[in-house]
Coordinates of all heavy atoms in Angstrom, one line a residue:
S1 N -4.3 -14.4 9.1 CA -4.8 -15.7 8.6 C -4.1 -16.0 7.3 O -3.5 -15.2 6.6 CB -6.3 -15.6 8.4 OG -6.6 -14.7 7.3
E2 N -4.2 -17.3 6.9 CA -3.7 -17.8 5.6 C -4.3 -17.0 4.5 O -3.6 -16.7 3.5 CB -3.8 -19.3 5.5 CG -2.9 -20.1 6.3 CD -1.4 -19.8 6.0 OE1 -1.1 -19.7 4.8 OE2 -0.6 -19.7 6.9
E3 N -5.6 -16.8 4.6 CA -6.3 -16.1 3.5 C -5.7 -14.7 3.3 O -5.5 -14.2 2.2 CB -7.8 -16.0 3.8 CG -8.6 -15.3 2.8 CD -10.1 -15.2 3.2 OE1 -10.6 -16.0 4.0 OE2 -10.7 -14.2 2.7
V4 N -5.5 -13.9 4.4 CA -5.0 -12.6 4.3 C -3.5 -12.6 3.8 O -3.1 -11.8 2.9 CB -5.0 -11.9 5.7 CG1 -4.2 -10.6 5.7 CG2 -6.4 -11.6 6.1
K5 N -2.8 -13.6 4.3 CA -1.4 -13.8 3.8 C -1.3 -14.0 2.3 O -0.5 -13.4 1.6 CB -0.7 -14.9 4.5 CG 0.7 -15.1 4.2 CD 1.4 -16.2 5.0 CE 2.8 -16.4 4.6 NZ 3.5 -17.4 5.4
E6 N -2.3 -14.8 1.8 CA -2.3 -15.0 0.3 C -2.7 -13.8 -0.5 O -2.1 -13.5 -1.5 CB -3.2 -16.2 0.0 CG -2.7 -17.5 0.4 CD -1.3 -17.8 -0.2 OE1 -1.1 -17.6 -1.4 OE2 -0.5 -18.3 0.6
R7 N -3.6 -13.0 0.1 CA -4.0 -11.7 -0.6 C -2.8 -10.8 -0.6 O -2.6 -10.1 -1.6 CB -5.2 -11.1 0.1 CG -6.5 -11.8 -0.2 CD -7.7 -11.0 0.1 NE -7.7 -10.4 1.3 CZ -8.5 -10.7 2.4 NH1 -9.3 -11.7 2.3 NH2 -8.4 -10.0 3.5
L8 N -2.1 -10.7 0.5 CA -0.9 -9.8 0.6 C 0.2 -10.3 -0.4 O 0.8 -9.5 -1.0 CB -0.4 -9.8 2.0 CG -1.2 -9.0 3.1 CD1 -0.7 -9.2 4.5 CD2 -1.3 -7.5 2.7
R9 N 0.4 -11.6 -0.4 CA 1.4 -12.2 -1.3 C 1.0 -11.8 -2.8 O 1.9 -11.5 -3.6 CB 1.4 -13.7 -1.2 CG 2.5 -14.3 -2.0 CD 2.7 -15.8 -1.7 NE 3.5 -16.0 -0.5 CZ 3.1 -16.7 0.5 NH1 2.0 -17.4 0.5 NH2 3.9 -16.8 1.6
A10 N -0.3 -11.8 -3.1 CA -0.7 -11.4 -4.5 C -0.4 -10.0 -4.8 O -0.2 -9.6 -5.9 CB -2.2 -11.8 -4.7
L11 N -0.5 -9.1 -3.8 CA -0.2 -7.7 -3.9 C 1.3 -7.3 -3.9 O 1.7 -6.3 -4.4 CB -0.9 -6.9 -2.8 CG -2.4 -6.9 -2.8 CD1 -3.0 -6.3 -1.6 CD2 -3.0 -6.2 -4.1
K12 N 2.1 -8.2 -3.3 CA 3.5 -7.9 -3.2 C 4.2 -8.0 -4.5 O 4.0 -8.9 -5.3 CB 4.1 -9.0 -2.2 CG 5.5 -8.6 -1.7 CD 5.9 -9.6 -0.6 CE 6.6 -10.8 -1.1 NZ 7.7 -10.6 -2.0
R13 N 5.1 -7.0 -4.7 CA 5.9 -7.0 -5.9 C 7.1 -8.0 -5.7 O 7.5 -8.3 -4.6 CB 6.5 -5.6 -6.1 CG 5.4 -4.6 -6.4 CD 5.9 -3.2 -6.4 NE 4.8 -2.3 -6.7 CZ 4.8 -1.0 -6.3 NH1 5.9 -0.5 -5.8 NH2 3.8 -0.2 -6.6
D14 N 7.6 -8.5 -6.8 CA 8.7 -9.5 -6.7 C 9.9 -9.0 -5.9 O 10.6 -9.8 -5.2 CB 9.2 -9.9 -8.1 CG 8.1 -10.7 -8.8 OD1 7.2 -11.3 -8.2 OD2 8.1 -10.8 -10.1
D15 N 10.3 -7.7 -6.1 CA 11.5 -7.2 -5.4 C 11.1 -6.5 -4.1 O 11.9 -5.8 -3.5 CB 12.1 -6.2 -6.3 CG 11.3 -5.0 -6.6 OD1 10.0 -5.1 -6.5 OD2 11.8 -3.9 -7.0
E16 N 10.0 -6.9 -3.5 CA 9.5 -6.2 -2.3 C 9.4 -7.2 -1.1 O 8.9 -8.3 -1.3 CB 8.1 -5.6 -2.6 CG 7.5 -4.7 -1.7 CD 6.3 -4.0 -2.2 OE1 5.4 -4.7 -2.8 OE2 6.1 -2.8 -2.1
S17 N 9.8 -6.7 0.1 CA 9.6 -7.5 1.3 C 8.1 -7.3 1.7 O 7.5 -6.3 1.3 CB 10.6 -7.1 2.3 OG 10.3 -5.8 2.8
F18 N 7.7 -8.1 2.7 CA 6.3 -7.9 3.2 C 6.3 -6.6 4.0 O 5.3 -5.8 4.0 CB 5.9 -9.0 4.1 CG 5.3 -10.2 3.3 CD1 6.0 -11.3 3.1 CD2 4.0 -10.1 2.8 CE1 5.5 -12.4 2.4 CE2 3.5 -11.2 2.1 CZ 4.2 -12.3 1.9
D19 N 7.4 -6.2 4.7 CA 7.5 -4.9 5.4 C 7.3 -3.8 4.4 O 6.6 -2.8 4.6 CB 8.8 -4.8 6.1 CG 8.9 -3.6 6.9 OD1 8.1 -3.5 7.9 OD2 9.8 -2.7 6.6
E20 N 8.0 -3.8 3.2 CA 7.9 -2.8 2.2 C 6.5 -2.7 1.7 O 5.9 -1.6 1.4 CB 8.9 -3.0 1.1 CG 10.3 -2.8 1.6 CD 11.4 -3.3 0.6 OE1 11.1 -4.3 -0.1 OE2 12.5 -2.8 0.6
L21 N 5.9 -3.9 1.4 CA 4.5 -3.9 1.0 C 3.5 -3.2 1.9 O 2.7 -2.4 1.5 CB 4.0 -5.4 0.8 CG 2.5 -5.6 0.6 CD1 2.1 -5.0 -0.8 CD2 2.2 -7.1 0.7
L22 N 3.6 -3.6 3.2 CA 2.7 -3.0 4.2 C 3.0 -1.5 4.3 O 2.0 -0.7 4.5 CB 2.9 -3.7 5.5 CG 2.4 -5.2 5.5 CD1 2.8 -5.8 6.8 CD2 0.9 -5.3 5.2
D23 N 4.2 -1.1 4.2 CA 4.5 0.3 4.2 C 3.9 1.0 3.1 O 3.2 2.1 3.2 CB 6.0 0.5 4.2 CG 6.4 2.0 4.3 OD1 6.0 2.7 5.3 OD2 7.2 2.4 3.4
R24 N 4.0 0.5 1.9 CA 3.5 1.1 0.7 C 1.9 1.1 0.8 O 1.3 2.2 0.5 CB 3.9 0.2 -0.6 CG 3.3 0.7 -1.9 CD 3.9 0.0 -3.1 NE 3.8 -1.5 -3.0 CZ 2.8 -2.2 -3.5 NH1 1.7 -1.6 -4.0 NH2 2.8 -3.5 -3.4
L25 N 1.3 0.1 1.2 CA -0.2 0.0 1.3 C -0.7 1.0 2.3 O -1.7 1.6 2.2 CB -0.7 -1.4 1.6 CG -0.4 -2.4 0.5 CD1 -0.9 -3.8 0.9 CD2 -1.1 -2.0 -0.8
S26 N 0.0 1.1 3.4 CA -0.5 2.0 4.5 C -0.3 3.5 4.2 O -1.0 4.3 4.8 CB 0.3 1.7 5.8 OG 1.6 2.0 5.7
R27 N 0.6 3.8 3.3 CA 0.8 5.2 2.9 C -0.2 5.6 1.8 O -0.5 6.8 1.7 CB 2.2 5.4 2.4 CG 3.2 5.3 3.4 CD 4.6 5.3 2.8 NE 5.6 5.2 3.8 CZ 6.3 6.2 4.3 NH1 6.0 7.4 4.0 NH2 7.2 5.9 5.2
R28 N -0.7 4.7 1.0 CA -1.4 5.1 -0.2 C -2.6 6.0 0.1 O -2.7 7.0 -0.5 CB -1.9 3.8 -0.9 CG -2.3 4.0 -2.3 CD -2.6 2.8 -3.0 NE -1.3 2.3 -3.5 CZ -1.1 1.1 -4.1 NH1 -2.1 0.3 -4.2 NH2 0.1 0.7 -4.5
E29 N -3.5 5.6 1.0 CA -4.7 6.4 1.2 C -4.4 7.7 1.8 O -4.9 8.8 1.4 CB -5.7 5.6 2.1 CG -7.0 6.3 2.2 CD -8.1 5.5 2.9 OE1 -8.0 4.2 2.7 OE2 -9.0 6.0 3.5
K30 N -3.5 7.8 2.7 CA -3.1 9.1 3.3 C -2.5 10.0 2.3 O -2.8 11.2 2.2 CB -2.1 8.8 4.4 CG -1.7 10.1 5.1 CD -0.7 9.8 6.2 CE -0.3 11.2 6.9 NZ 0.8 11.0 7.8
D31 N -1.6 9.5 1.4 CA -1.0 10.3 0.4 C -2.1 10.9 -0.6 O -2.0 12.0 -1.0 CB 0.0 9.5 -0.4 CG 1.2 9.1 0.4 OD1 1.4 9.7 1.4 OD2 2.0 8.2 -0.1
I32 N -3.1 10.1 -0.9 CA -4.2 10.5 -1.8 C -4.9 11.6 -1.1 O -5.3 12.6 -1.7 CB -5.1 9.3 -2.2 CG1 -4.3 8.4 -3.1 CG2 -6.4 9.8 -2.8 CD1 -5.0 7.1 -3.4
E33 N -5.2 11.5 0.2 CA -6.0 12.5 0.9 C -5.1 13.8 1.0 O -5.7 14.9 0.8 CB -6.3 12.0 2.3 CG -7.4 11.0 2.3 CD -7.7 10.4 3.6 OE1 -7.0 10.8 4.6 OE2 -8.6 9.5 3.7
E34 N -3.8 13.7 1.1 CA -3.0 14.9 1.2 C -3.0 15.6 -0.2 O -3.0 16.8 -0.2 CB -1.6 14.5 1.6 CG -1.5 14.2 3.1 CD -0.1 13.7 3.5 OE1 0.9 13.8 2.7 OE2 0.1 13.3 4.7
M35 N -2.9 14.8 -1.2 CA -2.9 15.4 -2.6 C -4.2 16.1 -2.8 O -4.2 17.2 -3.4 CB -2.7 14.3 -3.7 CG -1.3 13.8 -3.7 SD -0.9 12.8 -5.1 CE -2.1 11.4 -4.9
A36 N -5.3 15.5 -2.4 CA -6.6 16.1 -2.6 C -6.7 17.5 -1.8 O -7.2 18.5 -2.4 CB -7.7 15.2 -2.1
G37 N -6.1 17.5 -0.6 CA -6.1 18.7 0.1 C -5.3 19.8 -0.5 O -5.6 21.0 -0.5
S38 N -4.2 19.4 -1.2 CA -3.3 20.4 -1.8 C -4.0 21.0 -3.1 O -3.6 22.1 -3.6 CB -2.0 19.8 -2.2 OG -2.1 18.9 -3.2
L39 N -5.0 20.4 -3.6 CA -5.7 20.9 -4.8 C -7.0 21.6 -4.4 O -7.7 22.1 -5.3 CB -6.1 19.7 -5.7 CG -5.0 18.9 -6.3 CD1 -5.5 17.7 -7.0 CD2 -4.1 19.8 -7.2
A40 N -7.3 21.8 -3.1 CA -8.5 22.4 -2.7 C -8.7 23.8 -3.2 O -9.8 24.3 -3.5 CB -8.6 22.5 -1.2
F41 N -7.5 24.6 -3.4 CA -7.6 25.9 -3.9 C -8.2 26.0 -5.4 O -8.7 27.0 -5.8 CB -6.3 26.6 -3.9 CG -5.3 26.1 -4.9 CD1 -5.1 26.7 -6.1 CD2 -4.5 25.0 -4.6 CE1 -4.2 26.2 -7.0 CE2 -3.6 24.5 -5.5 CZ -3.4 25.1 -6.7
L42 N -8.1 24.9 -6.1 CA -8.7 24.8 -7.5 C -10.2 24.5 -7.5 O -10.8 24.6 -8.5 CB -8.0 23.6 -8.2 CG -6.5 23.8 -8.5 CD1 -6.0 22.5 -9.1 CD2 -6.2 25.0 -9.3

């Protein structure tokens, strides 16, 4: 929707394509969960 497109545009960096934005956003939560798992021994 136009609303979603505007929210994505607001999150997009100036030097970033929409493809790069979506790639960055889709990795963020998974990466955080992986980091949390790597700290479990602490």
Side-chain angles (χ1 to χ4, degrees):
S1 68
E2 285 298 318
E3 180 182 333
V4 170
K5 185 176 179 181
E6 289 305 314
R7 286 197 314 252
L8 290 171
R9 184 174 281 128
L11 294 171
K12 191 172 93 49
R13 297 172 181 157
D14 290 338
D15 63 340
E16 187 174 48
S17 68
F18 277 102
D19 184 65
E20 291 166 332
L21 166 69
L22 294 172
D23 182 55
R24 177 171 55 88
L25 293 176
S26 67
R27 291 174 183 262
R28 195 172 278 172
E29 187 167 330
K30 182 180 178 191
D31 292 345
I32 290 170
E33 288 174 359
E34 286 176 6
M35 286 189 301
S38 69
L39 297 174
F41 70 94
L42 298 174

